[in-house]
Amino acid sequence: MKTTGDQQLVKRINRSVLLRLVRERPGLSRAQLASHSGLTKSTVSLLVRELVEQGWLGEAPATTTAGIGRPSTPLRIHPHARGIIGIETAVDCVRVVAVSLLGEVWWSGEEPLASTAPAAACAQAARLARLAYDGMAARGLRLSGVGLGLPGAFDEATGVVRFAPNLGWRNVDFLPLLTRALAAAGLPEVPVHTQNEADAAALSEYEFASGDGEDALVFVNCDVGVGAGIVLNDRLFTGAQGMAGEIGHTIVQVDGPLCSCGRRGCAEAFIGARAIAGEAAAMGHTRQAGQFLGVLLQNLWTTFNPRVLVLGGSSCVGHPALVQVAQDTLNAYAASAGMAAPALRVARYGMLAPAVGAAALVLHQYLRPMHPRQTARQLP
Amino acid sequence: MKTTGDQQLVKRINRSVLLRLVRERPGLSRAQLASHSGLTKSTVSLLVRELVEQGWLGEAPATTTAGIGRPSTPLRIHPHARGIIGIETAVDCVRVVAVSLLGEVWWSGEEPLASTAPAAACAQAARLARLAYDGMAARGLRLSGVGLGLPGAFDEATGVVRFAPNLGWRNVDFLPLLTRALAAAGLPEVPVHTQNEADAAALSEYEFASGDGEDALVFVNCDVGVGAGIVLNDRLFTGAQGMAGEIGHTIVQVDGPLCSCGRRGCAEAFIGARAIAGEAAAMGHTRQAGQFLGVLLQNLWTTFNPRVLVLGGSSCVGHPALVQVAQDTLNAYAASAGMAAPALRVARYGMLAPAVGAAALVLHQYLRPMHPRQTARQLP
C-alpha cells in the first residue's frame, strides 16, 4: 500500500518527466508525451491539464497530423506565465533578476552591498527581490521560487553556509534567515534555494540551454576568488561537504607565491582579481594570469573530459585579452598532446550568470525530485 | 499501456532496489523491505522468492520479533551462491579473479601478457577466466557476469577502446572481441562489461564497501600511467568521451620536463613508474615523486571534496615510503590552509584492485539499470 507521501513523490516525478520532455522537444503532443515517458495517456492528460492551469506549460493551436485522427495540440514550456527570482549576494554588491522558465531575463537590478551582516544582507536582497516580484505580479506572472548564489561553501543537507571568507561568514544558518527576509518583504511562500555562486552560474548555462544541456559542464568563475561549478551526470556536483570546485586552490607552482588561503602556489595567487589588479598598466601580469588560467583549464579538461568549459566572473567578462591568452595556452597544450582542444566559451549571461543561475537552481531542484541515491529506489 | 520492455525495466529496477537495501542493511525482513522500498508486500514477496531461488539473496533462520506475529526471516546477500569474474589486462600481464557478490576473492591467477594483439589478449584472458569459472562451477556457484579493466579510454556508448597507448590500441571494437573469446573458452552467456583500469579500481572500493560506500571517492592509480577513477553521486563518472580522470596529464610545473604525451610538466612526468624507476638507488627521486603525488592529491581534494582518496598501482602498493611522503605533503597543504586533511588510504585489494574492480563493475551496472538522465523518466 502506498502512503500519501509516496503518491506525492510519484506525482512530482511524473510532472518533472513531462516538463523535461517538453523542454527538450518543444511541440510534443499529449500522445507523444505518453509514448516518450512510458506514462499512460490518462495520466499524461491529467498532469498536462494541471501543468497548463498552473502556467508551466502552454498550448499552441491544434494541428491535424496527416489529415486523420483527432487534432493534436503541441505543448511548450509557457514563456510568460511563471517566473523565477535569482539573487547574487556578491562581495560588494547584490544583483537580482527575474527570469522566465526558459531563462529570458525580464528584469535586473543591482545595488552596492550595504552590510555584510547576514541578516542585513538577506533583508537587502529581499527588498530588491520584492521589486522584481512587483514587476512580475503587475504583469500577472506567478512566482515559482527564489534562488540565491553567494561566494562561499553552502551545505545543502543543513542549509548552512559553512564558510564565505570574503563576506566574513562561518557556519551561518542561512536558509531560514533568507526565507524569513523574503516573507517580511511580502513575497509569497515559494521554494527557496541557496548555493555557491560558481555552482549557480554553472546551472545558468546548463538549465537554460536549448535541448539537453551539455554534460559534463565546468563553469570557471574568476573574481577575487576563483572557483568552479560542475554539472555532471545531469546534476550539480558539490562534493562531500559542498566544497567541490575550489579550483582556485589547486597548486600550479610548487613553492609559488603565498595565497590568501595560506598555501603557496595556488592558481588564485596568479589569476585572482587581486593578483591582476591594475592590469591595464601591467600587461605582463595579464599575460601571466592568462597563461595560468590556461593551465587551469587544461587541468580541468584532463580531469573532467567535459563537453564544454565556460569562463565567467569579472576577470573574464569584459577582458577579452585575458581570455584570449588562456584560450591560446589551452590550445597549445592540446596541440602538444595531438588532441583537439575542448570547447571553451564566455558565460552567456556575463556578470549576471550567478544571479540567473540562482534562478536556474530553483528549476534544477524542481526537475530532480529525488536524490541520486534514490535512482535505484523506485516506487512501484 | 505499458510495453513488455517497460515491465522488464520496472522489474529490474525493483530487483536492484531490494538488493541494494539488503546489501546496505543485512538482516532486513520482507516486511521491512516493503516499508523501506515503497513496494507492496506482495511485490516484495514475489521478487525475494526469485532472488533467493537465483542465489542473489540468502535467508537466515527465522526469528520471532517480540514474541508476537508471524516469524520474520532476515535476508542477506548470499555470499556463496553466485560469483563474478574480474579481469585486468595490464601492460605486461593478465590478472583474473573470481569474487563473491560481497567482494571476497575466492580465486586469483596471473600470467605475463603473451601478446598485445587485441584478439590474442582476449583469448588469453578468456582462458584464465575459464579456470576461474571451472573452480566456481565445481563448487556449484553461478556466474553473474564478467568485467574487464584495461589501461586505456573506453567508450561505454559504443563498446570501443578509443585509445590504450601502452597496449598500442586505437579504436578497437573491444566488447564483441571479448564476448566472443569468452564464449569460445566455454563460459556461459552472461553480461560482459569493460572499463578503464582506474575506473574499475575505484569500484572495487565503492561497491564492495560495507554499508553505503564513500561518495565521492577518487582512486589514484600510479603505474606507468597515472590515472584516477571517480565515483560521485552514486555513479562512476567517466566524462564526455570516457576520458575523465586523466590526472597524470594535469600540469604541476609550467615548462617542466617533457611527458610521454607531448606536454611539459605533467604529473606523470614526475610520478609515473618510468620517472621513479630505480628509486632504491635514487631516494631523491622517490622523495620528489612523493611530493608531486602529494600535490596531485591536494589538487584532487580541492577539486572534488571527496569522502576519501585511495592510492593504488604498483608505485603505491608496496612502496610505503612514497605513500608516506605524499601523505606528509598533503597534510602540510591542509595545515597551511588551516583545514583537516582528507581521508587517504592505500587500495584494500592492493595490486588486484583493477581486476576485483572489473568484477565490481558488473555489479555496478546491474544495480543501476537506468542512465542518470532517466532519473526523471520514471514509469508510472
Side-chain angles (χ1 to χ4, degrees), chain A residues 272-322:
Chain A
R274 288 194 186 110
I276 58 175
E279 89 284 355
M283 278 308 288
H285 262 212
T286 300
R287 178 138 198 94
Q288 190 193 44
Q291 284 166 340
F292 275 104
L293 179 55
V295 169
L296 195 60
L297 294 171
Q298 126 72 32
N299 289 354
L300 291 168
W301 170 39
T302 53
T303 302
F304 288 99
N305 184 206
R307 284 219 186 281
V308 67
L309 293 160
V310 186
L311 287 173
S314 62
S315 303
C316 290
V317 175
H319 286 73
L322 182 82

Short mmCIF file of all heavy atoms in Angstrom, two decimals, chain A residues 272-322:
data_model
loop_
_atom_site.label_atom_id
_atom_site.label_comp_id
_atom_site.label_asym_id
_atom_site.label_seq_id
_atom_site.Cartn_x
_atom_site.Cartn_y
_atom_site.Cartn_z
N GLY A 272 43.64 35.35 -9.41
CA GLY A 272 42.60 36.03 -8.65
C GLY A 272 42.61 37.51 -8.98
O GLY A 272 43.64 38.06 -9.40
N ALA A 273 41.46 38.18 -8.79
CA ALA A 273 41.35 39.59 -9.19
C ALA A 273 42.41 40.45 -8.51
O ALA A 273 42.91 41.41 -9.09
CB ALA A 273 39.94 40.10 -8.87
N ARG A 274 42.79 40.08 -7.27
CA ARG A 274 43.80 40.89 -6.57
C ARG A 274 45.15 40.77 -7.26
O ARG A 274 45.92 41.73 -7.30
CB ARG A 274 43.91 40.44 -5.11
CG ARG A 274 42.70 40.85 -4.29
CD ARG A 274 42.92 40.74 -2.78
NE ARG A 274 41.66 41.02 -2.09
CZ ARG A 274 40.93 40.10 -1.44
NH1 ARG A 274 41.36 38.85 -1.35
NH2 ARG A 274 39.80 40.43 -0.86
N ALA A 275 45.44 39.60 -7.82
CA ALA A 275 46.73 39.39 -8.46
C ALA A 275 46.83 40.12 -9.80
O ALA A 275 47.93 40.47 -10.24
CB ALA A 275 46.98 37.89 -8.69
N ILE A 276 45.67 40.36 -10.43
CA ILE A 276 45.74 41.01 -11.75
C ILE A 276 45.21 42.43 -11.72
O ILE A 276 44.98 43.03 -12.76
CB ILE A 276 45.00 40.18 -12.83
CG1 ILE A 276 43.53 39.97 -12.46
CG2 ILE A 276 45.68 38.85 -13.05
CD1 ILE A 276 42.73 39.28 -13.55
N ALA A 277 45.03 42.98 -10.50
CA ALA A 277 44.54 44.35 -10.37
C ALA A 277 45.51 45.30 -11.06
O ALA A 277 46.72 45.09 -11.05
CB ALA A 277 44.39 44.71 -8.89
N GLY A 278 44.98 46.34 -11.65
CA GLY A 278 45.82 47.32 -12.34
C GLY A 278 46.48 46.74 -13.57
O GLY A 278 47.56 47.16 -13.95
N GLU A 279 45.81 45.80 -14.18
CA GLU A 279 46.48 45.08 -15.26
C GLU A 279 46.64 45.91 -16.52
O GLU A 279 47.46 45.59 -17.37
CB GLU A 279 45.77 43.75 -15.56
CG GLU A 279 44.68 43.83 -16.58
CD GLU A 279 43.43 44.46 -16.02
OE1 GLU A 279 43.38 44.76 -14.81
OE2 GLU A 279 42.51 44.69 -16.82
N ALA A 280 45.83 46.97 -16.64
CA ALA A 280 45.99 47.83 -17.83
C ALA A 280 47.41 48.38 -17.86
O ALA A 280 48.05 48.46 -18.90
CB ALA A 280 44.97 48.96 -17.79
N ALA A 281 47.90 48.74 -16.66
CA ALA A 281 49.25 49.29 -16.58
C ALA A 281 50.30 48.17 -16.66
O ALA A 281 51.43 48.41 -17.07
CB ALA A 281 49.43 50.06 -15.26
N ALA A 282 49.91 46.99 -16.25
CA ALA A 282 50.89 45.91 -16.16
C ALA A 282 50.47 44.75 -17.05
O ALA A 282 49.97 43.75 -16.58
CB ALA A 282 51.03 45.47 -14.70
N MET A 283 50.67 44.92 -18.34
CA MET A 283 50.23 43.89 -19.28
C MET A 283 50.92 42.56 -19.01
O MET A 283 50.37 41.49 -19.31
CB MET A 283 50.47 44.33 -20.72
CG MET A 283 49.39 45.23 -21.28
SD MET A 283 47.72 44.54 -21.08
CE MET A 283 47.78 43.23 -22.31
N GLY A 284 52.11 42.60 -18.45
CA GLY A 284 52.82 41.36 -18.12
C GLY A 284 52.01 40.51 -17.16
O GLY A 284 51.92 39.29 -17.32
N HIS A 285 51.38 41.19 -16.19
CA HIS A 285 50.54 40.48 -15.24
C HIS A 285 49.37 39.77 -15.92
O HIS A 285 49.05 38.64 -15.60
CB HIS A 285 50.00 41.46 -14.18
CG HIS A 285 50.80 41.44 -12.92
ND1 HIS A 285 50.28 41.67 -11.69
CD2 HIS A 285 52.11 41.17 -12.72
CE1 HIS A 285 51.23 41.57 -10.78
NE2 HIS A 285 52.35 41.28 -11.38
N THR A 286 48.71 40.50 -16.85
CA THR A 286 47.58 39.90 -17.55
C THR A 286 48.04 38.68 -18.34
O THR A 286 47.38 37.66 -18.36
CB THR A 286 46.95 40.92 -18.53
OG1 THR A 286 46.51 42.02 -17.77
CG2 THR A 286 45.77 40.30 -19.27
N ARG A 287 49.19 38.82 -18.97
CA ARG A 287 49.71 37.72 -19.77
C ARG A 287 49.97 36.50 -18.89
O ARG A 287 49.54 35.39 -19.20
CB ARG A 287 51.01 38.20 -20.46
CG ARG A 287 51.67 37.17 -21.27
CD ARG A 287 52.21 37.63 -22.62
NE ARG A 287 52.42 36.41 -23.39
CZ ARG A 287 51.54 35.89 -24.22
NH1 ARG A 287 50.44 36.55 -24.48
NH2 ARG A 287 51.77 34.74 -24.82
N GLN A 288 50.64 36.73 -17.74
CA GLN A 288 50.92 35.61 -16.83
C GLN A 288 49.61 35.01 -16.30
O GLN A 288 49.47 33.79 -16.24
CB GLN A 288 51.79 36.10 -15.66
CG GLN A 288 52.32 34.94 -14.84
CD GLN A 288 52.91 35.37 -13.51
OE1 GLN A 288 52.35 36.20 -12.79
NE2 GLN A 288 54.06 34.81 -13.20
N ALA A 289 48.68 35.89 -15.93
CA ALA A 289 47.40 35.40 -15.41
C ALA A 289 46.68 34.57 -16.46
O ALA A 289 46.12 33.50 -16.17
CB ALA A 289 46.53 36.57 -14.96
N GLY A 290 46.68 35.04 -17.70
CA GLY A 290 46.03 34.31 -18.79
C GLY A 290 46.67 32.95 -19.00
O GLY A 290 45.98 31.95 -19.24
N GLN A 291 48.00 32.91 -18.90
CA GLN A 291 48.69 31.63 -19.06
C GLN A 291 48.33 30.66 -17.95
O GLN A 291 48.06 29.49 -18.21
CB GLN A 291 50.21 31.85 -19.11
CG GLN A 291 50.67 32.42 -20.46
CD GLN A 291 52.09 32.96 -20.43
OE1 GLN A 291 52.63 33.25 -19.37
NE2 GLN A 291 52.68 33.13 -21.61
N PHE A 292 48.31 31.15 -16.72
CA PHE A 292 47.95 30.25 -15.62
C PHE A 292 46.47 29.84 -15.69
O PHE A 292 46.11 28.72 -15.34
CB PHE A 292 48.31 30.86 -14.26
CG PHE A 292 49.74 30.60 -13.88
CD1 PHE A 292 50.70 31.59 -13.98
CD2 PHE A 292 50.13 29.34 -13.44
CE1 PHE A 292 52.04 31.34 -13.66
CE2 PHE A 292 51.46 29.08 -13.11
CZ PHE A 292 52.41 30.07 -13.22
N LEU A 293 45.62 30.76 -16.17
CA LEU A 293 44.22 30.37 -16.38
C LEU A 293 44.14 29.26 -17.44
O LEU A 293 43.37 28.30 -17.30
CB LEU A 293 43.39 31.59 -16.80
CG LEU A 293 41.91 31.34 -17.09
CD1 LEU A 293 41.20 30.68 -15.92
CD2 LEU A 293 41.20 32.66 -17.45
N GLY A 294 44.98 29.37 -18.45
CA GLY A 294 45.05 28.32 -19.47
C GLY A 294 45.50 26.99 -18.89
O GLY A 294 44.97 25.93 -19.23
N VAL A 295 46.48 27.03 -17.96
CA VAL A 295 46.93 25.81 -17.28
C VAL A 295 45.77 25.20 -16.49
O VAL A 295 45.54 23.99 -16.53
CB VAL A 295 48.13 26.12 -16.34
CG1 VAL A 295 48.43 24.92 -15.44
CG2 VAL A 295 49.36 26.50 -17.16
N LEU A 296 45.05 26.06 -15.79
CA LEU A 296 43.91 25.60 -15.00
C LEU A 296 42.86 24.95 -15.90
O LEU A 296 42.32 23.88 -15.58
CB LEU A 296 43.31 26.80 -14.26
CG LEU A 296 42.35 26.51 -13.11
CD1 LEU A 296 43.05 25.70 -12.03
CD2 LEU A 296 41.85 27.84 -12.52
N LEU A 297 42.59 25.55 -17.03
CA LEU A 297 41.60 24.99 -17.97
C LEU A 297 42.08 23.65 -18.52
O LEU A 297 41.30 22.70 -18.65
CB LEU A 297 41.34 25.98 -19.11
CG LEU A 297 40.66 27.29 -18.70
CD1 LEU A 297 40.65 28.27 -19.88
CD2 LEU A 297 39.23 27.05 -18.20
N GLN A 298 43.36 23.57 -18.85
CA GLN A 298 43.93 22.32 -19.35
C GLN A 298 43.80 21.23 -18.27
O GLN A 298 43.46 20.08 -18.58
CB GLN A 298 45.39 22.57 -19.78
CG GLN A 298 46.48 21.70 -19.18
CD GLN A 298 46.48 20.28 -19.71
OE1 GLN A 298 46.12 20.02 -20.85
NE2 GLN A 298 46.86 19.34 -18.84
N ASN A 299 44.01 21.60 -17.01
CA ASN A 299 43.90 20.60 -15.94
C ASN A 299 42.45 20.16 -15.72
O ASN A 299 42.18 19.00 -15.46
CB ASN A 299 44.50 21.17 -14.65
CG ASN A 299 46.03 21.26 -14.72
OD1 ASN A 299 46.64 20.80 -15.70
ND2 ASN A 299 46.64 21.86 -13.72
N LEU A 300 41.51 21.11 -15.84
CA LEU A 300 40.09 20.74 -15.72
C LEU A 300 39.66 19.86 -16.89
O LEU A 300 38.86 18.94 -16.73
CB LEU A 300 39.22 22.00 -15.65
CG LEU A 300 39.38 22.81 -14.37
CD1 LEU A 300 38.71 24.18 -14.51
CD2 LEU A 300 38.79 22.05 -13.18
N TRP A 301 40.20 20.16 -18.05
CA TRP A 301 39.89 19.36 -19.25
C TRP A 301 40.31 17.91 -19.04
O TRP A 301 39.52 16.98 -19.23
CB TRP A 301 40.60 19.99 -20.45
CG TRP A 301 40.59 19.19 -21.71
CD1 TRP A 301 39.56 18.44 -22.21
CD2 TRP A 301 41.67 19.05 -22.64
NE1 TRP A 301 39.94 17.86 -23.40
CE2 TRP A 301 41.22 18.22 -23.68
CE3 TRP A 301 42.95 19.58 -22.71
CZ2 TRP A 301 42.03 17.89 -24.77
CZ3 TRP A 301 43.77 19.25 -23.78
CH2 TRP A 301 43.30 18.41 -24.80
N THR A 302 41.57 17.68 -18.64
CA THR A 302 42.04 16.30 -18.49
C THR A 302 41.36 15.60 -17.31
O THR A 302 41.20 14.39 -17.33
CB THR A 302 43.57 16.24 -18.30
OG1 THR A 302 43.94 17.09 -17.23
CG2 THR A 302 44.30 16.69 -19.55
N THR A 303 40.95 16.37 -16.32
CA THR A 303 40.31 15.75 -15.14
C THR A 303 38.85 15.39 -15.40
O THR A 303 38.39 14.34 -14.98
CB THR A 303 40.42 16.71 -13.93
OG1 THR A 303 41.80 16.99 -13.69
CG2 THR A 303 39.80 16.09 -12.69
N PHE A 304 38.12 16.29 -16.09
CA PHE A 304 36.67 16.08 -16.24
C PHE A 304 36.24 15.63 -17.64
O PHE A 304 35.10 15.22 -17.82
CB PHE A 304 35.90 17.35 -15.85
CG PHE A 304 35.89 17.63 -14.39
CD1 PHE A 304 36.77 18.55 -13.83
CD2 PHE A 304 35.02 16.95 -13.55
CE1 PHE A 304 36.78 18.80 -12.46
CE2 PHE A 304 35.02 17.18 -12.18
CZ PHE A 304 35.90 18.11 -11.64
N ASN A 305 37.08 15.81 -18.65
CA ASN A 305 36.66 15.49 -20.02
C ASN A 305 35.25 16.05 -20.28
O ASN A 305 34.33 15.33 -20.64
CB ASN A 305 36.70 13.97 -20.22
CG ASN A 305 36.37 13.51 -21.64
OD1 ASN A 305 35.91 12.41 -21.84
ND2 ASN A 305 36.55 14.36 -22.64
N PRO A 306 35.09 17.37 -20.07
CA PRO A 306 33.75 17.96 -20.17
C PRO A 306 33.35 18.22 -21.62
O PRO A 306 34.20 18.24 -22.51
CB PRO A 306 33.91 19.29 -19.44
CG PRO A 306 35.33 19.68 -19.70
CD PRO A 306 36.11 18.38 -19.74
N ARG A 307 32.05 18.40 -21.84
CA ARG A 307 31.60 18.83 -23.17
C ARG A 307 31.96 20.28 -23.42
O ARG A 307 32.17 20.69 -24.55
CB ARG A 307 30.09 18.66 -23.32
CG ARG A 307 29.67 17.26 -23.52
CD ARG A 307 28.53 17.05 -24.51
NE ARG A 307 28.17 15.66 -24.49
CZ ARG A 307 28.84 14.69 -25.11
NH1 ARG A 307 29.87 14.98 -25.90
NH2 ARG A 307 28.49 13.44 -25.00
N VAL A 308 31.99 21.06 -22.34
CA VAL A 308 32.31 22.47 -22.51
C VAL A 308 32.87 23.06 -21.22
O VAL A 308 32.51 22.63 -20.12
CB VAL A 308 31.04 23.25 -22.96
CG1 VAL A 308 29.98 23.28 -21.87
CG2 VAL A 308 31.38 24.68 -23.40
N LEU A 309 33.80 24.01 -21.40
CA LEU A 309 34.32 24.82 -20.31
C LEU A 309 33.77 26.23 -20.52
O LEU A 309 33.82 26.74 -21.65
CB LEU A 309 35.85 24.86 -20.35
CG LEU A 309 36.59 23.54 -20.06
CD1 LEU A 309 38.01 23.59 -20.61
CD2 LEU A 309 36.62 23.29 -18.55
N VAL A 310 33.25 26.85 -19.47
CA VAL A 310 32.69 28.20 -19.59
C VAL A 310 33.43 29.13 -18.63
O VAL A 310 33.69 28.76 -17.49
CB VAL A 310 31.18 28.20 -19.26
CG1 VAL A 310 30.58 29.58 -19.53
CG2 VAL A 310 30.44 27.13 -20.05
N LEU A 311 33.78 30.32 -19.13
CA LEU A 311 34.51 31.30 -18.31
C LEU A 311 33.59 32.42 -17.90
O LEU A 311 32.90 33.01 -18.74
CB LEU A 311 35.69 31.88 -19.10
CG LEU A 311 36.89 30.97 -19.32
CD1 LEU A 311 37.89 31.64 -20.26
CD2 LEU A 311 37.54 30.63 -17.98
N GLY A 312 33.58 32.77 -16.61
CA GLY A 312 32.79 33.88 -16.13
C GLY A 312 33.50 34.64 -15.03
O GLY A 312 34.66 34.37 -14.73
N GLY A 313 32.79 35.61 -14.44
CA GLY A 313 33.38 36.43 -13.39
C GLY A 313 34.02 37.68 -13.96
O GLY A 313 34.32 37.76 -15.15
N SER A 314 34.24 38.67 -13.08
CA SER A 314 34.68 40.00 -13.55
C SER A 314 36.02 39.95 -14.27
O SER A 314 36.28 40.78 -15.15
CB SER A 314 34.74 40.97 -12.37
OG SER A 314 35.69 40.51 -11.43
N SER A 315 36.89 38.99 -13.93
CA SER A 315 38.20 38.96 -14.60
C SER A 315 38.11 38.45 -16.03
O SER A 315 39.00 38.71 -16.83
CB SER A 315 39.17 38.07 -13.81
OG SER A 315 39.28 38.52 -12.49
N CYS A 316 37.04 37.73 -16.34
CA CYS A 316 36.91 37.18 -17.70
C CYS A 316 35.89 37.96 -18.53
O CYS A 316 36.15 38.27 -19.70
CB CYS A 316 36.49 35.72 -17.64
SG CYS A 316 37.79 34.64 -17.02
N VAL A 317 34.74 38.29 -17.92
CA VAL A 317 33.72 39.03 -18.65
C VAL A 317 34.26 40.44 -18.93
O VAL A 317 34.60 41.16 -18.02
CB VAL A 317 32.41 39.11 -17.83
CG1 VAL A 317 31.39 39.97 -18.54
CG2 VAL A 317 31.87 37.72 -17.54
N GLY A 318 34.39 40.79 -20.16
CA GLY A 318 34.88 42.12 -20.50
C GLY A 318 36.39 42.24 -20.50
O GLY A 318 36.92 43.35 -20.61
N HIS A 319 37.12 41.13 -20.36
CA HIS A 319 38.58 41.18 -20.52
C HIS A 319 38.99 40.18 -21.60
O HIS A 319 39.63 39.16 -21.31
CB HIS A 319 39.30 40.85 -19.21
CG HIS A 319 39.25 41.94 -18.22
ND1 HIS A 319 38.10 42.25 -17.52
CD2 HIS A 319 40.19 42.84 -17.80
CE1 HIS A 319 38.35 43.26 -16.70
NE2 HIS A 319 39.61 43.64 -16.85
N PRO A 320 38.65 40.49 -22.84
CA PRO A 320 38.94 39.52 -23.91
C PRO A 320 40.43 39.19 -24.03
O PRO A 320 40.78 38.08 -24.46
CB PRO A 320 38.42 40.21 -25.18
CG PRO A 320 38.10 41.61 -24.80
CD PRO A 320 37.95 41.69 -23.32
N ALA A 321 41.31 40.11 -23.63
CA ALA A 321 42.74 39.84 -23.76
C ALA A 321 43.14 38.67 -22.86
O ALA A 321 43.87 37.76 -23.27
CB ALA A 321 43.56 41.08 -23.39
N LEU A 322 42.65 38.69 -21.63
CA LEU A 322 42.95 37.61 -20.69
C LEU A 322 42.40 36.28 -21.22
O LEU A 322 43.10 35.25 -21.22
CB LEU A 322 42.31 37.92 -19.33
CG LEU A 322 42.59 36.90 -18.23
CD1 LEU A 322 43.94 37.15 -17.59
CD2 LEU A 322 41.49 36.92 -17.16
#
